[in-house]
mmCIF file with all atom_site columns, all heavy atoms in Angstrom:
data_model
loop_
_atom_site.group_PDB
_atom_site.id
_atom_site.type_symbol
_atom_site.label_atom_id
_atom_site.label_alt_id
_atom_site.label_comp_id
_atom_site.label_asym_id
_atom_site.label_entity_id
_atom_site.label_seq_id
_atom_site.pdbx_PDB_ins_code
_atom_site.Cartn_x
_atom_site.Cartn_y
_atom_site.Cartn_z
_atom_site.occupancy
_atom_site.B_iso_or_equiv
_atom_site.pdbx_formal_charge
_atom_site.auth_seq_id
_atom_site.auth_comp_id
_atom_site.auth_asym_id
_atom_site.auth_atom_id
_atom_site.pdbx_PDB_model_num
ATOM 1   N N   . PRO F 1 104 ? 128.111 103.405 146.590 1.00 97.00 ? 370 PRO F N   1
ATOM 2   C CA  . PRO F 1 104 ? 128.089 102.572 145.208 1.00 97.00 ? 370 PRO F CA  1
ATOM 3   C C   . PRO F 1 104 ? 127.156 103.142 144.232 1.00 97.00 ? 370 PRO F C   1
ATOM 4   O O   . PRO F 1 104 ? 127.121 102.669 143.041 1.00 97.00 ? 370 PRO F O   1
ATOM 5   C CB  . PRO F 1 104 ? 127.348 101.221 145.744 1.00 97.00 ? 370 PRO F CB  1
ATOM 6   C CG  . PRO F 1 104 ? 127.539 101.349 147.230 1.00 97.00 ? 370 PRO F CG  1
ATOM 7   C CD  . PRO F 1 104 ? 127.624 102.841 147.620 1.00 97.00 ? 370 PRO F CD  1
ATOM 8   N N   . ILE F 1 105 ? 126.553 104.312 144.355 1.00 98.00 ? 371 ILE F N   1
ATOM 9   C CA  . ILE F 1 105 ? 125.733 104.963 143.407 1.00 98.00 ? 371 ILE F CA  1
ATOM 10  C C   . ILE F 1 105 ? 126.542 105.376 142.239 1.00 98.00 ? 371 ILE F C   1
ATOM 11  O O   . ILE F 1 105 ? 127.557 105.961 142.320 1.00 98.00 ? 371 ILE F O   1
ATOM 12  C CB  . ILE F 1 105 ? 124.943 106.117 143.993 1.00 98.00 ? 371 ILE F CB  1
ATOM 13  C CG1 . ILE F 1 105 ? 124.017 105.687 145.071 1.00 98.00 ? 371 ILE F CG1 1
ATOM 14  C CG2 . ILE F 1 105 ? 124.186 106.958 143.011 1.00 98.00 ? 371 ILE F CG2 1
ATOM 15  C CD1 . ILE F 1 105 ? 123.289 106.712 145.965 1.00 98.00 ? 371 ILE F CD1 1
ATOM 16  N N   . ARG F 1 106 ? 126.116 105.078 140.921 1.00 97.00 ? 372 ARG F N   1
ATOM 17  C CA  . ARG F 1 106 ? 126.929 105.470 139.732 1.00 97.00 ? 372 ARG F CA  1
ATOM 18  C C   . ARG F 1 106 ? 126.173 106.260 138.899 1.00 97.00 ? 372 ARG F C   1
ATOM 19  O O   . ARG F 1 106 ? 126.470 106.456 137.656 1.00 97.00 ? 372 ARG F O   1
ATOM 20  C CB  . ARG F 1 106 ? 127.297 104.087 139.028 1.00 97.00 ? 372 ARG F CB  1
ATOM 21  C CG  . ARG F 1 106 ? 128.285 103.286 139.984 1.00 97.00 ? 372 ARG F CG  1
ATOM 22  C CD  . ARG F 1 106 ? 129.573 103.784 140.197 1.00 97.00 ? 372 ARG F CD  1
ATOM 23  N NE  . ARG F 1 106 ? 130.569 104.580 140.618 1.00 97.00 ? 372 ARG F NE  1
ATOM 24  C CZ  . ARG F 1 106 ? 130.759 105.154 141.836 1.00 97.00 ? 372 ARG F CZ  1
ATOM 25  N NH1 . ARG F 1 106 ? 129.855 105.248 142.656 1.00 97.00 ? 372 ARG F NH1 1
ATOM 26  N NH2 . ARG F 1 106 ? 131.743 105.929 142.139 1.00 97.00 ? 372 ARG F NH2 1
ATOM 27  N N   . ARG F 1 107 ? 124.847 106.757 139.240 1.00 98.00 ? 373 ARG F N   1
ATOM 28  C CA  . ARG F 1 107 ? 124.055 107.603 138.370 1.00 98.00 ? 373 ARG F CA  1
ATOM 29  C C   . ARG F 1 107 ? 123.413 108.764 139.189 1.00 98.00 ? 373 ARG F C   1
ATOM 30  O O   . ARG F 1 107 ? 122.867 108.454 140.224 1.00 98.00 ? 373 ARG F O   1
ATOM 31  C CB  . ARG F 1 107 ? 122.964 106.795 137.687 1.00 98.00 ? 373 ARG F CB  1
ATOM 32  C CG  . ARG F 1 107 ? 122.325 107.621 136.595 1.00 98.00 ? 373 ARG F CG  1
ATOM 33  C CD  . ARG F 1 107 ? 121.372 106.601 135.745 1.00 98.00 ? 373 ARG F CD  1
ATOM 34  N NE  . ARG F 1 107 ? 120.643 107.346 134.623 1.00 98.00 ? 373 ARG F NE  1
ATOM 35  C CZ  . ARG F 1 107 ? 119.524 107.959 134.800 1.00 98.00 ? 373 ARG F CZ  1
ATOM 36  N NH1 . ARG F 1 107 ? 118.861 107.768 135.909 1.00 98.00 ? 373 ARG F NH1 1
ATOM 37  N NH2 . ARG F 1 107 ? 118.998 108.564 133.763 1.00 98.00 ? 373 ARG F NH2 1
ATOM 38  N N   . VAL F 1 108 ? 123.657 109.964 138.696 1.00 98.00 ? 374 VAL F N   1
ATOM 39  C CA  . VAL F 1 108 ? 123.048 111.139 139.352 1.00 98.00 ? 374 VAL F CA  1
ATOM 40  C C   . VAL F 1 108 ? 122.249 111.969 138.307 1.00 98.00 ? 374 VAL F C   1
ATOM 41  O O   . VAL F 1 108 ? 122.802 112.079 137.167 1.00 98.00 ? 374 VAL F O   1
ATOM 42  C CB  . VAL F 1 108 ? 124.265 111.993 139.910 1.00 98.00 ? 374 VAL F CB  1
ATOM 43  C CG1 . VAL F 1 108 ? 123.647 113.271 140.459 1.00 98.00 ? 374 VAL F CG1 1
ATOM 44  C CG2 . VAL F 1 108 ? 124.777 111.190 141.083 1.00 98.00 ? 374 VAL F CG2 1
ATOM 45  N N   . VAL F 1 109 ? 121.248 112.441 138.673 1.00 98.00 ? 375 VAL F N   1
ATOM 46  C CA  . VAL F 1 109 ? 120.335 113.368 137.811 1.00 98.00 ? 375 VAL F CA  1
ATOM 47  C C   . VAL F 1 109 ? 120.160 114.665 138.527 1.00 98.00 ? 375 VAL F C   1
ATOM 48  O O   . VAL F 1 109 ? 119.700 114.657 139.686 1.00 98.00 ? 375 VAL F O   1
ATOM 49  C CB  . VAL F 1 109 ? 118.863 112.627 137.451 1.00 98.00 ? 375 VAL F CB  1
ATOM 50  C CG1 . VAL F 1 109 ? 118.119 113.623 136.588 1.00 98.00 ? 375 VAL F CG1 1
ATOM 51  C CG2 . VAL F 1 109 ? 119.299 111.352 136.761 1.00 98.00 ? 375 VAL F CG2 1
ATOM 52  N N   . THR F 1 110 ? 120.398 115.727 137.833 1.00 97.00 ? 376 THR F N   1
ATOM 53  C CA  . THR F 1 110 ? 120.243 117.001 138.511 1.00 97.00 ? 376 THR F CA  1
ATOM 54  C C   . THR F 1 110 ? 119.611 118.007 137.488 1.00 97.00 ? 376 THR F C   1
ATOM 55  O O   . THR F 1 110 ? 119.667 117.814 136.293 1.00 97.00 ? 376 THR F O   1
ATOM 56  C CB  . THR F 1 110 ? 121.705 117.626 138.974 1.00 97.00 ? 376 THR F CB  1
ATOM 57  O OG1 . THR F 1 110 ? 121.519 118.808 139.714 1.00 97.00 ? 376 THR F OG1 1
ATOM 58  C CG2 . THR F 1 110 ? 122.583 117.732 137.807 1.00 97.00 ? 376 THR F CG2 1
ATOM 59  N N   . ALA F 1 111 ? 119.073 119.190 138.101 1.00 96.00 ? 377 ALA F N   1
ATOM 60  C CA  . ALA F 1 111 ? 118.356 120.174 137.361 1.00 96.00 ? 377 ALA F CA  1
ATOM 61  C C   . ALA F 1 111 ? 119.073 121.315 137.059 1.00 96.00 ? 377 ALA F C   1
ATOM 62  O O   . ALA F 1 111 ? 119.099 122.009 136.021 1.00 96.00 ? 377 ALA F O   1
ATOM 63  C CB  . ALA F 1 111 ? 117.008 120.447 138.030 1.00 96.00 ? 377 ALA F CB  1
ATOM 64  N N   . TRP F 1 112 ? 120.033 121.812 138.083 1.00 92.00 ? 378 TRP F N   1
ATOM 65  C CA  . TRP F 1 112 ? 120.374 123.100 138.241 1.00 92.00 ? 378 TRP F CA  1
ATOM 66  C C   . TRP F 1 112 ? 121.921 123.166 138.728 1.00 92.00 ? 378 TRP F C   1
ATOM 67  O O   . TRP F 1 112 ? 122.323 122.415 139.647 1.00 92.00 ? 378 TRP F O   1
ATOM 68  C CB  . TRP F 1 112 ? 119.722 123.917 139.186 1.00 92.00 ? 378 TRP F CB  1
ATOM 69  C CG  . TRP F 1 112 ? 119.883 125.305 139.384 1.00 92.00 ? 378 TRP F CG  1
ATOM 70  C CD1 . TRP F 1 112 ? 120.256 126.350 138.420 1.00 92.00 ? 378 TRP F CD1 1
ATOM 71  C CD2 . TRP F 1 112 ? 119.806 126.056 140.673 1.00 92.00 ? 378 TRP F CD2 1
ATOM 72  N NE1 . TRP F 1 112 ? 120.400 127.552 139.053 1.00 92.00 ? 378 TRP F NE1 1
ATOM 73  C CE2 . TRP F 1 112 ? 119.988 127.402 140.433 1.00 92.00 ? 378 TRP F CE2 1
ATOM 74  C CE3 . TRP F 1 112 ? 119.336 125.665 141.939 1.00 92.00 ? 378 TRP F CE3 1
ATOM 75  C CZ2 . TRP F 1 112 ? 120.023 128.328 141.375 1.00 92.00 ? 378 TRP F CZ2 1
ATOM 76  C CZ3 . TRP F 1 112 ? 119.366 126.726 142.914 1.00 92.00 ? 378 TRP F CZ3 1
ATOM 77  C CH2 . TRP F 1 112 ? 119.752 127.958 142.641 1.00 92.00 ? 378 TRP F CH2 1
ATOM 78  N N   . ARG F 1 113 ? 122.837 123.677 137.786 1.00 88.00 ? 379 ARG F N   1
ATOM 79  C CA  . ARG F 1 113 ? 124.216 123.916 138.169 1.00 88.00 ? 379 ARG F CA  1
ATOM 80  C C   . ARG F 1 113 ? 124.346 124.889 139.206 1.00 88.00 ? 379 ARG F C   1
ATOM 81  O O   . ARG F 1 113 ? 123.519 125.963 139.222 1.00 88.00 ? 379 ARG F O   1
ATOM 82  C CB  . ARG F 1 113 ? 124.939 124.311 137.004 1.00 88.00 ? 379 ARG F CB  1
ATOM 83  C CG  . ARG F 1 113 ? 125.192 123.319 135.842 1.00 88.00 ? 379 ARG F CG  1
ATOM 84  C CD  . ARG F 1 113 ? 126.392 122.334 135.930 1.00 88.00 ? 379 ARG F CD  1
ATOM 85  N NE  . ARG F 1 113 ? 126.503 121.484 134.953 1.00 88.00 ? 379 ARG F NE  1
ATOM 86  C CZ  . ARG F 1 113 ? 127.709 121.285 134.289 1.00 88.00 ? 379 ARG F CZ  1
ATOM 87  N NH1 . ARG F 1 113 ? 128.760 121.820 134.778 1.00 88.00 ? 379 ARG F NH1 1
ATOM 88  N NH2 . ARG F 1 113 ? 127.759 120.395 133.347 1.00 88.00 ? 379 ARG F NH2 1
ATOM 89  N N   . GLU F 1 114 ? 125.198 124.753 140.214 1.00 84.00 ? 380 GLU F N   1
ATOM 90  C CA  . GLU F 1 114 ? 125.357 125.754 141.321 1.00 84.00 ? 380 GLU F CA  1
ATOM 91  C C   . GLU F 1 114 ? 125.741 127.020 140.758 1.00 84.00 ? 380 GLU F C   1
ATOM 92  O O   . GLU F 1 114 ? 126.841 127.232 140.267 1.00 84.00 ? 380 GLU F O   1
ATOM 93  C CB  . GLU F 1 114 ? 126.395 125.088 142.372 1.00 84.00 ? 380 GLU F CB  1
ATOM 94  C CG  . GLU F 1 114 ? 126.393 126.036 143.604 1.00 84.00 ? 380 GLU F CG  1
ATOM 95  C CD  . GLU F 1 114 ? 127.242 125.558 144.545 1.00 84.00 ? 380 GLU F CD  1
ATOM 96  O OE1 . GLU F 1 114 ? 127.673 124.301 144.651 1.00 84.00 ? 380 GLU F OE1 1
ATOM 97  O OE2 . GLU F 1 114 ? 127.590 126.312 145.595 1.00 84.00 ? 380 GLU F OE2 1
ATOM 98  N N   . PRO F 1 115 ? 125.032 128.020 141.054 1.00 84.00 ? 381 PRO F N   1
ATOM 99  C CA  . PRO F 1 115 ? 125.416 129.422 140.662 1.00 84.00 ? 381 PRO F CA  1
ATOM 100 C C   . PRO F 1 115 ? 126.586 129.945 141.531 1.00 84.00 ? 381 PRO F C   1
ATOM 101 O O   . PRO F 1 115 ? 126.680 129.498 142.692 1.00 84.00 ? 381 PRO F O   1
ATOM 102 C CB  . PRO F 1 115 ? 124.229 130.157 140.637 1.00 84.00 ? 381 PRO F CB  1
ATOM 103 C CG  . PRO F 1 115 ? 123.392 129.492 141.729 1.00 84.00 ? 381 PRO F CG  1
ATOM 104 C CD  . PRO F 1 115 ? 123.770 128.123 141.676 1.00 84.00 ? 381 PRO F CD  1
ATOM 105 N N   . PRO F 1 116 ? 127.322 130.943 141.118 1.00 76.00 ? 382 PRO F N   1
ATOM 106 C CA  . PRO F 1 116 ? 128.426 131.508 141.850 1.00 76.00 ? 382 PRO F CA  1
ATOM 107 C C   . PRO F 1 116 ? 127.974 132.460 143.058 1.00 76.00 ? 382 PRO F C   1
ATOM 108 O O   . PRO F 1 116 ? 128.454 133.573 142.982 1.00 76.00 ? 382 PRO F O   1
ATOM 109 C CB  . PRO F 1 116 ? 129.336 132.214 140.898 1.00 76.00 ? 382 PRO F CB  1
ATOM 110 C CG  . PRO F 1 116 ? 128.367 132.688 139.786 1.00 76.00 ? 382 PRO F CG  1
ATOM 111 C CD  . PRO F 1 116 ? 127.255 131.541 139.807 1.00 76.00 ? 382 PRO F CD  1
ATOM 112 N N   . VAL F 1 117 ? 127.062 131.943 143.891 1.00 78.00 ? 383 VAL F N   1
ATOM 113 C CA  . VAL F 1 117 ? 126.655 132.758 145.079 1.00 78.00 ? 383 VAL F CA  1
ATOM 114 C C   . VAL F 1 117 ? 127.494 132.553 146.106 1.00 78.00 ? 383 VAL F C   1
ATOM 115 O O   . VAL F 1 117 ? 128.025 133.581 146.731 1.00 78.00 ? 383 VAL F O   1
ATOM 116 C CB  . VAL F 1 117 ? 125.171 132.437 145.373 1.00 78.00 ? 383 VAL F CB  1
ATOM 117 C CG1 . VAL F 1 117 ? 124.786 133.119 146.635 1.00 78.00 ? 383 VAL F CG1 1
ATOM 118 C CG2 . VAL F 1 117 ? 124.249 132.744 144.183 1.00 78.00 ? 383 VAL F CG2 1
ATOM 119 N N   . PHE F 1 118 ? 127.833 131.370 146.536 1.00 80.00 ? 384 PHE F N   1
ATOM 120 C CA  . PHE F 1 118 ? 128.611 131.132 147.719 1.00 80.00 ? 384 PHE F CA  1
ATOM 121 C C   . PHE F 1 118 ? 130.045 130.575 147.276 1.00 80.00 ? 384 PHE F C   1
ATOM 122 O O   . PHE F 1 118 ? 131.008 130.805 148.092 1.00 80.00 ? 384 PHE F O   1
ATOM 123 C CB  . PHE F 1 118 ? 127.931 130.071 148.690 1.00 80.00 ? 384 PHE F CB  1
ATOM 124 C CG  . PHE F 1 118 ? 126.635 130.492 149.035 1.00 80.00 ? 384 PHE F CG  1
ATOM 125 C CD1 . PHE F 1 118 ? 125.584 129.764 148.680 1.00 80.00 ? 384 PHE F CD1 1
ATOM 126 C CD2 . PHE F 1 118 ? 126.369 131.562 149.930 1.00 80.00 ? 384 PHE F CD2 1
ATOM 127 C CE1 . PHE F 1 118 ? 124.214 130.124 148.992 1.00 80.00 ? 384 PHE F CE1 1
ATOM 128 C CE2 . PHE F 1 118 ? 125.069 131.925 150.271 1.00 80.00 ? 384 PHE F CE2 1
ATOM 129 C CZ  . PHE F 1 118 ? 124.017 131.175 149.849 1.00 80.00 ? 384 PHE F CZ  1
ATOM 130 N N   . VAL F 1 119 ? 130.155 129.921 146.272 1.00 79.00 ? 385 VAL F N   1
ATOM 131 C CA  . VAL F 1 119 ? 131.444 129.591 145.738 1.00 79.00 ? 385 VAL F CA  1
ATOM 132 C C   . VAL F 1 119 ? 131.687 129.898 144.246 1.00 79.00 ? 385 VAL F C   1
ATOM 133 O O   . VAL F 1 119 ? 130.626 129.790 143.536 1.00 79.00 ? 385 VAL F O   1
ATOM 134 C CB  . VAL F 1 119 ? 131.851 128.008 145.975 1.00 79.00 ? 385 VAL F CB  1
ATOM 135 C CG1 . VAL F 1 119 ? 131.911 127.726 147.462 1.00 79.00 ? 385 VAL F CG1 1
ATOM 136 C CG2 . VAL F 1 119 ? 130.875 127.144 145.186 1.00 79.00 ? 385 VAL F CG2 1
ATOM 137 N N   . SER F 1 120 ? 132.752 130.337 143.838 1.00 78.00 ? 386 SER F N   1
ATOM 138 C CA  . SER F 1 120 ? 132.819 130.651 142.473 1.00 78.00 ? 386 SER F CA  1
ATOM 139 C C   . SER F 1 120 ? 133.304 129.539 141.548 1.00 78.00 ? 386 SER F C   1
ATOM 140 O O   . SER F 1 120 ? 133.208 129.635 140.264 1.00 78.00 ? 386 SER F O   1
ATOM 141 C CB  . SER F 1 120 ? 133.911 131.895 142.307 1.00 78.00 ? 386 SER F CB  1
ATOM 142 O OG  . SER F 1 120 ? 135.123 131.489 142.765 1.00 78.00 ? 386 SER F OG  1
ATOM 143 N N   . ASP F 1 121 ? 133.736 128.529 142.210 1.00 78.00 ? 387 ASP F N   1
ATOM 144 C CA  . ASP F 1 121 ? 134.272 127.412 141.291 1.00 78.00 ? 387 ASP F CA  1
ATOM 145 C C   . ASP F 1 121 ? 133.498 126.049 141.607 1.00 78.00 ? 387 ASP F C   1
ATOM 146 O O   . ASP F 1 121 ? 134.257 124.982 141.754 1.00 78.00 ? 387 ASP F O   1
ATOM 147 C CB  . ASP F 1 121 ? 135.771 127.235 141.635 1.00 78.00 ? 387 ASP F CB  1
ATOM 148 C CG  . ASP F 1 121 ? 136.177 126.951 143.025 1.00 78.00 ? 387 ASP F CG  1
ATOM 149 O OD1 . ASP F 1 121 ? 135.250 127.060 143.943 1.00 78.00 ? 387 ASP F OD1 1
ATOM 150 O OD2 . ASP F 1 121 ? 137.343 126.470 143.227 1.00 78.00 ? 387 ASP F OD2 1
#
Side-chain angles (χ1 to χ4, degrees):
I371 296 171
R372 300 286 53 58
R373 186 170 187 269
V374 172
V375 178
T376 187
W378 183 36
R379 293 270 185 134
E380 184 173 347
V383 174
F384 302 114
V385 298
S386 60
D387 61 344

